[in-house]
Amino acid sequence: MDIRTLCLGLLTLRESSGYEIKKAFESELAPFYEASFGSIYPALGRLTEEGLVSRTEQAQEKRPDKKVYRITSAGRLAFLDALAEPPSRDRTRSDFLAILLFADLLPARHLAGLIDERLAAHQSAARQIKSELAATLPAGRRFVLGHALALYEAAIAYVEENRHLVESEALLAKAGPGSGSGSGSGRLTAP
Amino acid sequence: MDIRTLCLGLLTLRESSGYEIKKAFESELAPFYEASFGSIYPALGRLTEEGLVSRTEQAQEKRPDKKVYRITSAGRLAFLDALAEPPSRDRTRSDFLAILLFADLLPARHLAGLIDERLAAHQSAARQIKSELAATLPAGRRFVLGHALALYEAAIAYVEENRHLVESEALLAKAGPGSGSGSGSGRLTAP
DNA sequence: GATTAATATATCGAAATGATATATGAGGGC
DNA sequence: GCCCTCATATATCATTTCGATATATTAATC
């Protein structure tokens, strides 16, 4: 599922300019997909060449001119084919977790600051999703938004309950098997 | 936090060949970071040029020769500097969620198959993490593994409780505000 | 009057992926 | 014995994507 295919998908929802596609990535696909202008504009160019979208230049008052893209019927068919392909597995990159893996190399107060910022960012993201969920939404959008919210809430709960593992000064101690993670009390004990 | 820096970090744990670094990405950094040989080998070459690691060719019996990399003291300092940098935000790409966003374009039985595979994969991943957590681990590793487990379990619970949102045949209906997601019963209702 | 933010398109170097090539040895199936 | 697959080991390369940068207009803020 490359950016080109996702642009096509967003154009099934509404006609858009490249700039509006970028905003749609942020409002519809975030936080489980992102794209930069550097990939969106070439993707739209290629889709136009392939005849999967059409382009119309549109002059605007008080704003720069824009190029509006509309999906063609060939484009709709191509997107349905792409949707039926088996999904590739999720990919995640988290600097936060990479840093915490090396927690024993960092002072506890630095870790505490990192964790506080993480919690604040996730709480803010969760609040925003909740306000979006208050509206009427298509089923797919509601499902993926709720999914994102569930993961943010789980991450917040986990970090709050287990931050002591990396913040304790006794970081030289190796942690043995604890209470069994999220399945039980949710708290991993360090003996 | 690029692959080069992460290679340096893994070399603070033990000396390794490029091949072993790849395995360390899978065993230590997965599932929140990954790297391919195509990025690891060039990264190790660059680290060697910069004097942050040293390279020793090591002949082996019954196995191909390998090049063993060791972090230098300059390398340790450079890694500590990199660790202190503010983390960039998490990036995720999920084909599964992208497809589900367009659930109304797919037949319910296809969606059911996708979701069943997703649940099986996540359950398998969760089981594997649980078995790893049974051993004695450094605090950082225990924290990030537990984090991964908590997210897998939250995703499984969410999908099991909310799959009806996308599987129901009445996909033309727009879902209004429900019970409030994970905060309450965990189930989003479609009126 | 200056700076920041939003709208709008585009390019480019650098980073990373995923596939492929090459080579050796071990183990299993037939 | 022969073939295939898997594990070990290094390396390259086309393609994809990111992130920064450039350019231009209008509105708002300071």
Side-chain angles (χ1 to χ4, degrees), chain B residues 49-166:
Chain B
E49 278 174 36
E50 295 169 321
L52 303 181
V53 306
S54 68
R55 168 163 44 193
T56 312
E57 303 227 5
Q58 192 173 305
Q60 291 190 113
E61 285 169 18
K62 317 231 173 181
R63 260 171 188 59
D65 297 352
K66 63 179 174 180
K67 296 174 183 174
V68 175
Y69 295 86
R70 274 179 205 87
I71 193 167
T72 64
S73 42
R76 284 189 191 272
L77 288 175
F79 183 60
L80 287 180
D81 282 352
L83 263 197
E85 291 285 301
S88 68
R89 68 194 197 298
D90 291 12
R91 256 172 300 147
T92 304
R93 359 197 71 192
S94 174
D95 274 14
F96 173 74
L97 291 173
I99 290 172
L100 285 207
L101 184 65
F102 297 100
D104 56 329
L105 301 180
L106 291 169
R109 67 190 172 286
H110 180 76
L111 293 167
L114 274 182
I115 289 170
D116 288 341
E117 280 171 42
R118 173 77 162 193
L119 286 172
H122 274 196
Q123 275 150 359
S124 158
R127 261 195 309 278
Q128 211 215 298
I129 292 176
K130 277 183 192 168
S131 75
E132 271 192 72
L133 281 171
T136 295
L137 297 167
R141 177 71 183 150
R142 175 160 295 270
F143 180 85
V144 299
L145 261 190
H147 191 283
L149 177 58
L151 292 211
Y152 277 125
E153 289 179 336
I156 290 166
Y158 177 82
V159 171
E160 283 176 344
E161 282 166 14
N162 293 283
R163 58 187 297 173
H164 70 279
L165 285 177
V166 286

Side-chain angles (χ1 to χ4, degrees), chain A residues 18-19 38 41 60 63-64 66-67 93:
Chain A
Y19 186 81
Y41 284 116
Q60 293 191 114
R63 260 169 189 58
K66 62 179 177 181
K67 297 174 183 173
R93 357 198 70 194

Side-chain angles (χ1 to χ4, degrees), chain A residues 8 12 51-52 71-84, chain B residues 105:
Chain A
L8 205 50
T12 67
L52 304 181
I71 194 166
T72 63
S73 42
R76 284 188 192 272
L77 288 176
F79 182 61
L80 286 180
D81 282 352
L83 262 197
Chain B
L105 301 180

Side-chain angles (χ1 to χ4, degrees), chain A residues 20-21 27 54 70 97 124 141 160 172-173 185:
Chain A
E20 287 161 347
I21 292 264
S27 66
S54 68
R70 274 178 205 85
L97 290 174
S124 158
R141 177 70 183 151
E160 282 176 345
L172 296 176
S185 71

Side-chain angles (χ1 to χ4, degrees), chain A residues 114-137:
Chain A
L114 275 182
I115 290 170
D116 287 342
E117 280 171 42
R118 173 78 162 190
L119 286 172
H122 275 198
Q123 275 151 359
S124 158
R127 260 195 310 278
Q128 211 216 297
I129 292 177
K130 276 183 194 169
S131 75
E132 271 192 72
L133 281 171
T136 294
L137 298 168

